[in-house]
Amino acid sequence: MTAPYGPWPRREAGATDRTLVHVQELHDAPLAPLTTFRLGGPATRLVTATTDAEVTAAVRAADESGTPLLIIGGGSNLVIGDQGFDGTALRIATTGFVLDGATLELAAGENWSEAVARTVEAGLAGIECLAGIPGSAGATPVQNVGAYGQEVSSTITEVVAYDRTLGETITLTNAECAFSYRHSTFKEHPERYVVLRVRFALEAAGGLSAPIKYPETARALGVEAGDRVPAATARETVLRLRACKGMVLDPADHDTWSAGSFFTNPVLSDEAYAAFLARVHDRLGPDTAPPAYPAADGRTKTSAAWLIDKAGFTKGYGSGPARISTKHTLALTNRGEATTEDLLTLAREVVAGVHAAFGVTLVNEPVTVGVSI
C-alpha cells in the first residue's frame, strides 16, 4: 500500500519549507526476492524510497523511534538470516544518471551495470571493466567495488551521504572516503552513513578504454598490460569473462544465485605470508608458488579462489541445496531450495578447511544480517 511516512523531515540548510513525502510501505514483507541469493526471512516493515528526501525521512524516522534499520540497494552483497529482520528495511530505489562531459553523478538506486554501459556508449573510460557487477550504484563506494584491474576509488570524486550521527546530508571527498581494498569509511561505520549519490570523474579518451591492467583481461583481448582498446570491446570482454564464471545474473542459472565473490582475497603481512608459504610447500610441494600480488603497506595479497580450490573445495563442491558454483570456486550458491543456514554451513566448512590447510582465515565479503559465519 501507499501511505504517508512521518514524522516530518528536519529542515536542511537553506530549506524554506517542509514537504511531506510518500513512500511504498509493506508489512511482514519478504526480503529474499530483493537479494541475489534469494535467501532470508521477512522484514517487519519494508519501505521503498524513490527520492533522496524519502530516503532521509525514512532513516530519520527509524532513528528517532529507535527502530532497527536495514538498508537494501541491489541486494547483491547481502546475506539475511532465515528469521528475517525485526525492524524497518529501507529499499533505496532512487534514480538519476547525470553526465556532464566526463563528470558523472549517479543516484544510489541506479543499476550499476546499466550505468557502466551508458558511460561506454558515451565514449568514456574508467569503469568499463566493472561491467556486469550486479547491484546498485550506492553500494559501490561502500565496498570500493573492483574487478579486472579497476576499482571505483580511482574515479570517485565525491559521495553524497546522509550522516545519521549529524542528522544532515554531507558530501565526502575521495580522501574522506578512506578507500582501501574492499573497504571504505562507509564500511568502517555501517550504522553512520547512507549513500545518496556518487560522483565520478571519467576520461574522454576518444572511445578507448583506460589502460588495461589485469593480466586475464589483457590475455583475453590479445594485448599487453597498459594498452588501450575500444571501451566497448573491453566491456564486452569482461562480460564474457564474468559470464564464464557465473558472475553475470541469470535467473535460469543457479550458479548466479550468489553474491559473486563470497570471500575477499587475503592480504598478509610478511610474517603471515612466510608462514603461509611454508604451509603451501608442506602440502603441495616446494616448487608450488601460490598467487601473490603486492598490496598496501608492503603486504602481500593472495587468491581466495586458489586457497579454496587447493584446500579441496573444487567447483560444484557440496551435496546439499547450497554448493560452490560449478563455474567458480569463489562463489557460494543457492541451488534453488537452500536456506540461509544451508549457505552458512557451507561457508563455515570452507573457512575451516582453508584454515586447516594453510593457516589463513577467509573473510566473507557480503554483509550478514542477523547471522555470522
Side-chain angles (χ1 to χ4, degrees):
M1 67 177 181
T2 301
Y5 194 93
W8 295 97
R10 284 197 286 263
R11 188 185 303 267
E12 299 287 356
T16 57
D17 61 3
R18 294 176 172 180
T19 303
L20 183 65
V21 295
H22 293 71
V23 296
Q24 182 187 68
E25 180 181 328
L26 300 171
H27 295 269
D28 195 27
L31 296 181
L34 301 182
T35 74
T36 53
F37 265 123
R38 295 167 171 81
L39 294 176
T44 305
R45 182 166 174 259
L46 172 64
V47 170
T48 298
T50 59
T51 69
D52 290 354
E54 290 175 358
V55 172
T56 56
V59 174
R60 284 172 174 160
D63 289 348
E64 290 171 359
S65 64
T67 303
L69 182 67
L70 170 64
I71 304 296
I72 299 178
S76 60
N77 204 46
L78 199 58
V79 177
I80 299 172
D82 292 318
Q83 74 278 13
F85 182 70
D86 185 12
T88 295
L90 172 60
R91 177 173 172 261
I92 297 180
T94 54
T95 57
F97 178 103
V98 180
L99 195 57
D100 182 8
T103 300
L104 172 67
E105 179 180 280
L106 294 176
E110 281 287 330
N111 179 286
W112 173 253
S113 189
E114 292 175 4
V116 171
R118 293 176 70 178
T119 65
V120 171
E121 289 170 2
L124 298 175
I127 56 175
E128 63 280 357
C129 290
L130 301 178
I133 295 176
S136 60
T140 61
V142 179
Q143 291 286 118
N144 184 18
V145 164
Y148 295 96
Q150 291 182 344
E151 288 182 329
V152 292
S153 58
S154 65
T155 52
I156 287 177
T157 57
E158 294 179 331
V159 175
V160 179
Y162 178 70
D163 186 328
R164 298 168 68 182
T165 299
L166 299 178
E168 61 185 42
T169 298
I170 63 171
T171 299
L172 292 89
T173 64
N174 181 288
E176 290 169 332
C177 293
F179 290 121
S180 59
Y181 173 65
R182 299 300 175 269
H183 201 70
S184 69
T185 192
F186 310 106
K187 190 172 182 179
E188 183 74 20
H189 305 286
E191 302 299 320
R192 178 168 182 176
Y193 300 105
V194 179
V195 175
L196 300 175
R197 298 190 170 264
V198 189
R199 295 172 181 150
F200 302 82
L202 303 179
E203 180 186 5
L208 296 178
S209 69
I212 301 298
K213 296 180 180 179
Y214 200 65
E216 183 183 11
T217 314
R219 287 193 300 270
L221 288 164
V223 300
E224 299 294 325
D227 288 349
R228 293 177 184 260
V229 299
T233 301
R235 174 180 173 272
E236 291 161 5
T237 299
V238 165
L239 287 174
R240 286 196 298 272
L241 291 172
R242 291 184 64 86
C244 288
K245 300 173 183 178
M247 298 291 185
V248 177
L249 293 181
D250 179 354
D253 182 0
H254 286 290
D255 277 329
T256 74
W257 291 31
S258 74
S261 299
F262 195 87
F263 300 104
T264 58
N265 289 323
V267 179
L268 307 174
S269 66
D270 286 346
E271 181 181 1
Y273 184 73
F276 161 62
L277 200 58
R279 297 283 286 269
V280 169
H281 292 163
D282 287 344
R283 182 181 179 90
L284 302 174
D287 295 330
T288 302
Y293 312 95
D297 302 324
R299 297 181 296 170
T300 301
K301 180 166 66 175
T302 191
S303 166
W306 187 91
L307 289 168
I308 293 167
D309 180 74
K310 298 304 181 184
F313 303 100
T314 54
K315 295 175 184 177
Y317 178 88
S319 58
R323 304 178 196 174
I324 291 178
S325 166
T326 66
K327 299 182 179 72
H328 200 295
T329 54
L330 202 49
L332 308 188
T333 67
N334 170 12
R335 308 315 294 183
E337 301 295 333
T339 65
T340 301
E341 190 54 37
D342 292 327
L343 176 74
L344 296 176
T345 298
L346 175 61
R348 291 166 186 147
E349 183 183 1
V350 171
V351 170
V354 167
H355 189 271
F358 299 112
V360 175
T361 301
L362 294 178
V363 176
N364 53 288
E365 186 169 333
V367 175
T368 56
V369 179
V371 293
S372 59
I373 305 300

